[in-house]
Amino acid sequence: MIRTGIGYDSHRMVADRRLVLGGVEIAYEKGLEGHSDADVLAHAVIDALLGAAGLGDIGEHFPDTEDAWRGADSMQLLAAIVTMVVAGGLEIVNVDCTLLMEEPQLGPHRAAIRERLAQALGLHIGRVNVKASTGEGLGFVGRREGVAALAVASLQDAG
Ligand SMILES: [Zn+2]
């Protein structure tokens, strides 16, 4: 049986913060605001995995009211969720995601992000896809006020 989950997240773009996407730090004049490292892409992937596994959402597992997760490396949170999913007798089939971001351009960083995500997910790179779309000047993405990410994950019972 295949189980599919969806994940969505968004964070505000602000000065004096790092921009970390899928575990890759990108040099840019602004970064994302949040309790953890605000890795919007990692958060969307986590929610997609939790959704597919029927395990709730990221806020239940890593509440942003807890000091333990302040400044947390979201790729470590992702690794913990992967471990949980696998321990539950499931294996990840594939993950696809889309970043909604006006700036900076994802192109130069896409391969590194894909590789980093594949590593954290324990998947061959061909099973992980990373896309980007701009806001065409519309909405909070288009106004460069924030970045959003969508992810879909498919799981199957481990054979
Ligand atoms: Zn988030």
Side-chain angles (χ1 to χ4, degrees), residues 8-11 32-44 47 58 74:
Y8 171 80
D9 193 31
S10 60
H11 283 264
L32 298 178
E33 188 174 55
H35 186 73
S36 65
D37 61 3
D39 187 334
V40 66
L41 184 55
H43 295 176
D47 259 359
I58 188 170
S74 296

Side-chain angles (χ1 to χ4, degrees), residues 9-139:
D9 193 31
S10 60
H11 283 264
R12 189 181 295 272
M13 187 81 104
V14 294
D16 301 321
R17 284 279 298 186
R18 298 185 304 144
L19 178 60
V20 182
L21 298 172
V24 175
E25 185 163 348
I26 292 169
Y28 186 58
E29 62 193 43
K30 292 179 179 179
L32 298 178
E33 188 174 55
H35 186 73
S36 65
D37 61 3
D39 187 334
V40 66
L41 184 55
H43 295 176
V45 171
I46 286 172
D47 259 359
L49 291 172
L50 290 172
L55 290 171
D57 66 28
I58 188 170
E60 289 172 41
H61 294 271
F62 309 111
D64 63 8
T65 48
E66 271 180 36
D67 274 350
W69 315 123
R70 190 181 303 282
D73 175 351
S74 296
M75 294 304 280
Q76 285 187 13
L77 308 186
L78 174 57
I81 294 302
V82 169
T83 300
M84 188 185 303
V85 164
V86 170
L90 296 167
E91 62 185 32
I92 304 166
V93 177
N94 78 304
V95 170
D96 182 29
C97 42
T98 300
L99 268 168
L100 305 172
M101 184 170 73
E102 202 75 11
E103 283 182 347
Q105 288 206 332
L106 182 73
H109 312 286
R110 186 203 300 259
I113 292 170
R114 192 178 178 196
E115 204 167 305
R116 188 81 177 79
L117 280 176
Q119 192 182 44
L121 292 162
L123 293 179
H124 181 271
I125 198 157
R127 289 174 179 257
V128 180
N129 198 55
V130 178
K131 309 181 298 299
S133 181
T134 69
E136 298 285 349
L138 298 169

